[in-house]
Amino acid sequence: MKDSVVFLLLFFSSLLWSPTNQARLTVSPSSSQLFEYDSVSLSCEDDDSSAGWTLRRNTTTQQMTQCGVKWGRYTGSSCEIRFIDPLDSGVYWCESRKGPISNMVNLTVTGGSVILQSPVLPVMEGDDVTLLCETKTTPSNLPAAFYKDGSLIRKQPTGHMTIQHVSKSDEGLYKCDISGHGESPSSWITVTGQPSTTTSPTTSALATSEDQSQVSNPLQLALTLTRHLLVFCPYFISTILMVSLYREKPKDKEPLQNKRDDVTTEHNF
């Protein structure tokens, strides 16, 4: 019985402490826009190699397809797409057989002659961001005009523009134009807040609000419920088993006590 208790507790502890690390999808070259017939390599980076990450994508013609099936091929731990096509434009992410998914990356492939090289991953608030307006056949230091949400920001004589100390207000849809060559597609730049290093009543209230919003998500609710069940079950089961052991213990001693009483009675007689 004691061996069963130990086994059950170890089993549930392994469930509680099993890692749920989230992978990070990286892209090389690190650009959200690519020229047709270029090559690109995508990797799922994670410390837990046993998670079994699979690279998937959604495009206008394919949904939830994985690398190696109709598109791309694995070279080591990376998925490589050679001679990329505009039909390869879409959303890419890493997915684990354990459940979690990585950040999502939006890639745009153009058959035109101008692209805007912009960050693939979200930019941290306060960092500097450099945008490069590039042509396919000529040097990339040509004068270029940069636009945000359809409005002209500025014209740069060397084809690149740096946004210093980005903030949430810099988040938006960017594109560029090189006179005589054309206009690039548009790409969305996401700005995320700096991670908090101290805890205050305000941040605690915000964290509570975020937790409540996450619980409202059906998937998050299911995960939260499972987590609570895993925490509760070991204590519940161990309590039942201990009670069972306790109830069985007096029954084993009762015959011995009766024998002692009989011997005492006989001695008195």
Side-chain angles (χ1 to χ4, degrees):
M1 181 69 72
K2 291 182 180 179
D3 292 338
S4 300
V5 174
V6 174
F7 174 77
L8 287 171
L9 290 177
L10 288 175
F11 172 73
F12 284 107
S13 297
S14 67
L15 292 177
L16 291 173
W17 290 103
S18 60
T20 55
N21 297 334
Q22 183 175 358
R24 187 170 70 99
L25 175 59
T26 60
V27 181
S28 180
S30 183
S31 177
S32 59
Q33 295 185 14
L34 299 163
F35 287 116
E36 187 178 15
Y37 306 126
D38 280 352
S39 295
V40 63
S41 179
L42 304 101
S43 302
C44 301
E45 297 182 354
D46 185 13
D47 295 334
D48 184 11
S49 59
S50 65
W53 296 99
T54 300
L55 183 67
R56 295 186 181 275
R57 75 177 187 181
N58 283 342
T59 66
T60 56
T61 58
Q62 299 173 341
Q63 301 295 314
M64 297 287 291
T65 55
Q66 66 182 56
C67 177
V69 179
K70 296 184 179 180
W71 64 274
R73 66 174 184 177
Y74 279 105
T75 55
S77 59
S78 300
C79 177
E80 185 177 7
I81 308 176
R82 295 183 177 180
F83 307 111
I84 199 165
D85 186 89
L87 292 177
D88 292 312
S89 298
V91 179
Y92 293 74
W93 71 93
C94 300
E95 185 175 293
S96 168
R97 61 172 175 262
K98 296 182 179 180
I101 64 172
S102 71
N103 57 296
M104 294 187 178
V105 169
N106 193 354
L107 294 182
T108 301
V109 183
T110 178
S113 57
V114 178
I115 62 171
L116 174 67
Q117 286 195 1
S118 59
V120 176
L121 301 177
V123 181
M124 192 69 68
E125 196 170 13
D127 289 349
D128 295 342
V129 176
T130 298
L131 306 179
L132 175 63
C133 199
E134 183 180 5
T135 60
K136 189 172 185 178
T137 56
T138 58
S140 300
N141 57 355
L142 297 175
F146 292 85
Y147 298 82
K148 175 180 178 288
D149 298 329
S151 299
L152 176 66
I153 306 174
R154 69 186 79 155
K155 294 182 179 181
Q156 294 292 99
T158 57
H160 69 271
M161 178 186 72
T162 299
I163 307 173
Q164 296 182 337
H165 310 299
V166 294
S167 63
K168 276 290 186 179
S169 62
D170 294 311
E171 197 171 66
L173 206 58
Y174 288 80
K175 66 179 181 179
C176 68
D177 178 85
I178 297 179
S179 180
H181 293 272
E183 184 178 270
S184 74
S186 297
S187 286
W188 182 269
I189 294 181
T190 301
V191 180
T192 60
Q194 290 282 359
S196 176
T197 56
T198 59
T199 303
S200 64
T202 303
T203 55
S204 298
L206 290 175
T208 303
S209 176
E210 290 177 357
D211 291 341
Q212 291 175 349
S213 64
Q214 289 179 352
V215 171
S216 64
N217 186 306
L219 178 58
Q220 187 65 32
L221 179 60
L223 293 175
T224 302
L225 179 60
T226 302
R227 184 170 63 251
H228 286 299
L229 287 175
L230 290 177
V231 172
F232 174 76
C233 283
Y235 299 103
F236 179 75
I237 293 175
S238 61
T239 302
I240 292 177
L241 293 174
M242 290 302 178
V243 170
S244 177
L245 287 172
Y246 178 80
R247 295 183 63 182
E248 290 177 4
K249 189 175 181 180
K251 294 180 181 178
D252 295 333
K253 291 185 176 181
E254 185 177 355
L256 179 60
Q257 185 65 36
N258 292 336
K259 289 181 180 179
R260 288 179 179 176
D261 293 339
D262 294 339
V263 171
T264 303
T265 304
E266 291 175 3
H267 179 72
N268 291 335
F269 281 109

